[in-house]
């Protein structure tokens, strides 16, 4: 019966870009993404930036069986640990379960200055605070 069927949701879309620290590549920086949506524990994935500060995180998907009328919400936080300090570079309540639903399209040229101030970025489906910038969104 379709009422009880599970559907695939994208809890966190792939993220790829460059980390910088005071304008220079944050080589060896550890980037940690924590996603929480159906329990308090959530999931965490971690990558290390290469010598040019480049990082790449894969998509995180899960299946969901909504038994009651419910709205999908995934909480995303991305931290960077660099030179013994921790920086929050991304915080979001994702309310669109599709791939790249956070931003209404795939971001290009993601550049994250880890010492920057979190800024609110207008998105269609959720609320985003980030130090990251990008040149365009593929729609």
């Amino acid at each position: 019966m379709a009422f009880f069927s599970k559907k695939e949701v994208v809890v966190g879309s792939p993220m790829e870009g460059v980390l910088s620290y005071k304008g220079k590549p944050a080589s060896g920086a550890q980037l940690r993404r924590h996603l929480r949506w159906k329990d308090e524990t959530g999931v965490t994935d971690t990558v290390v930036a290469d010598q040019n500060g480049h990082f790449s995180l894969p998509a995180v998907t899960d299946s969901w069986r909504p038994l009651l009328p419910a709205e999908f919400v995934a909480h995303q936080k991305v931290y960077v640990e660099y030179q013994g300090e921790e920086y929050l570079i991304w915080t979001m309540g994702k309310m669109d379960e599709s791939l790249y639903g956070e931003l209404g399209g795939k971001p290009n040229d993601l550049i994250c200055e880890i010492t920057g101030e979190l800024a609110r970025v207008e998105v269609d489906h959720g609320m985003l605070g980030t130090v990251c910038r990008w040149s365009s969104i593929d729609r």
Side-chain angles (χ1 to χ4, degrees):
M1 186 190 275
F3 181 73
F4 292 107
S5 64
K6 287 185 175 185
K7 67 180 188 175
E8 190 81 7
V9 295
V10 178
V11 180
S13 295
M15 293 182 74
E16 187 171 341
V18 175
L19 298 174
S20 63
Y21 176 80
K22 297 183 179 178
K24 298 194 186 309
S27 173
Q30 183 177 7
L31 187 129
R32 184 179 79 249
R33 176 176 61 180
H34 183 74
L35 304 169
R36 183 174 50 85
W37 77 282
K38 63 181 180 182
D39 60 36
E40 289 300 313
T41 305
V43 297
T44 301
D45 53 350
T46 305
V47 297
V48 175
D50 70 12
Q51 73 259 10
N52 298 314
H54 182 265
F55 69 92
S56 181
L57 287 165
V60 175
T61 62
D62 202 349
S63 56
W64 182 36
R65 181 183 296 139
L67 298 176
L68 300 172
E71 186 172 8
F72 172 83
V73 179
H75 302 279
Q76 305 176 345
K77 288 196 183 272
V78 180
Y79 299 91
V80 172
E81 187 175 316
Y82 188 65
Q83 297 182 345
E85 297 290 326
E86 184 175 80
Y87 305 88
L88 175 65
I89 67 164
W90 183 281
T91 182
M92 178 171 207
K94 179 182 191 277
M95 298 173 67
D96 183 321
E97 61 208 40
S98 64
L99 184 65
Y100 298 112
E102 296 94 326
L103 304 170
K106 180 180 177 183
N108 289 327
D109 304 324
L110 195 60
I111 299 171
C112 307
E113 171 56 54
I114 63 176
T115 61
E117 293 284 323
L118 280 177
R120 182 178 176 180
V121 176
E122 294 295 323
V123 294
D124 292 337
H125 303 284
M127 295 173 42
L128 171 63
T130 186
V131 301
C132 302
R133 302 291 175 258
W134 47 91
S135 63
S136 67
I137 302 259
D138 287 338
R139 294 190 188 258

